Amino acid sequence: SLARFDDPRGEFTGFHSTGINNALTIAGTASFQHGFLLAGGAISTFDVPLAFNNSTFGDDINNAGVIVGGYRNGSGGHGFILANGSFEAVDVPGAQNETYVAGINDSGQLVGQYRRADTGTFAGFIRSGTSIVTFDAAQAQPNTIAGGINNLGQVVGSVNGGGTDSRGFTYQNGVFEFFDAPGALRTWAQGINNHGAIVGMASSGGALATEVFVRDGASFTTFALPSLWNARDIVAGDIADDGTVVGYFTDNSTNQTYGFLATI
């Protein structure tokens, strides 16, 4: 089943819905770049203290309700953790003014990306407690973009930016596996649940995604959003353990951004 949603307050904010937990609480970024939390039909928004106005980006939420994402201020881009109303900044040591947290699991492990000072390209990182381990896919595409992490420490993401086609990857214990959605020229992996099911987007032609995929083991399920939605710029952000997918798209006829939920 597929359902689209907008701001329950009755005003358009543009939902960039990118994270979901097993209570089906949704996190993301509302337009004008404030973080948001959507639970039980009620929305709350938040901003990182000292962030530039309209520069807080929510991304993921774990089963304890801890939210992660990124924000910008005069010193560049930084990751954040929001737990029990308290913010913590996250920066990879030596990063070139850019760190972003894309995912969190239930033990508090973080995954994200940072800009390398030596190359100016993006690499991934995992933070466990206070320890940070970095990783770089070192493919033809120079950017390693992490999307999510599950309770087993399995990371998903994508490589891109080298003038060649984007590919999805899994990463664990120093080992990468690269994959492509069936028939796709470009594949972006965004989230992984605790059963190992991966969600992301694919394109068979242009640079923007045209369909959503769920990879469960070696099996792929793909679907397009309904034609009545006039969808473009599709992003599938995350997948809960029951298989519920959250994401967002832009309605090409109105240029308004809506969230969507899909049950596979």
Side-chain angles (χ1 to χ4, degrees):
S1 64
L2 279 164
R4 60 189 274 175
F5 60 90
D6 198 359
D7 193 328
R9 297 173 297 181
E11 59 186 70
F12 171 69
T13 59
F15 270 2
H16 298 75
S17 310
T18 49
I20 192 169
N21 65 16
N22 289 339
L24 305 188
T25 300
I26 298 168
T29 307
S31 67
F32 312 116
Q33 299 173 351
H34 308 282
F36 79 81
L37 183 70
L38 179 61
I43 186 173
S44 57
T45 60
F46 60 87
D47 294 281
V48 175
L50 303 181
F52 278 160
N53 187 35
N54 302 335
S55 295
T56 296
F57 311 92
D59 201 302
D60 196 20
I61 182 169
N62 69 8
N63 287 319
V66 180
I67 301 172
V68 295
Y71 70 97
R72 302 196 66 81
N73 62 17
S75 61
H78 315 272
F80 74 80
I81 306 168
L82 171 57
N84 299 317
S86 178
F87 287 93
E88 176 190 346
V90 178
D91 290 288
V92 173
Q96 185 183 322
N97 300 326
E98 195 77 37
T99 298
Y100 186 84
V101 182
I104 183 171
N105 65 16
D106 291 336
S107 66
Q109 280 186 302
L110 308 179
V111 71
Q113 56 269 346
Y114 72 101
R115 189 183 298 277
R116 292 177 49 157
D118 55 347
T119 64
T121 59
F122 284 94
F125 72 90
I126 300 171
R127 192 183 93 164
S128 303
T130 58
S131 173
I132 292 179
V133 175
T134 62
F135 59 92
D136 198 328
Q139 294 286 293
Q141 303 91 333
N143 296 316
T144 299
I145 306 297
I149 187 169
N150 67 9
N151 287 347
L152 299 176
Q154 297 169 319
V155 172
V156 295
S158 307
V159 289
N160 61 48
T164 55
D165 297 325
S166 301
R167 305 192 71 198
F169 71 78
T170 62
Y171 175 78
Q172 189 175 29
N173 299 325
V175 178
F176 284 93
E177 176 202 348
F178 298 93
F179 66 90
D180 305 285
L185 291 178
R186 294 176 174 84
T187 299
W188 300 270
Q190 298 286 100
I192 183 169
N193 69 15
N194 293 319
H195 304 303
I198 299 168
V199 70
M201 307 86 69
S203 170
S204 58
L208 300 177
T210 56
E211 62 183 12
V212 176
F213 74 81
V214 175
R215 177 190 173 192
D216 193 355
S219 174
F220 278 87
T221 301
T222 61
F223 62 90
L225 298 185
S227 59
L228 289 175
W229 291 4
N230 299 307
R232 62 173 170 83
D233 304 345
I234 302 166
V235 174
D238 201 7
I239 183 168
D241 287 348
D242 70 355
T244 301
V245 172
V246 71
Y248 64 92
F249 68 97
T250 298
D251 185 322
N252 200 45
S253 61
T254 65
N255 288 321
Q256 295 186 354
T257 303
Y258 297 91
F260 72 84
L261 288 174
T263 303
I264 308 303

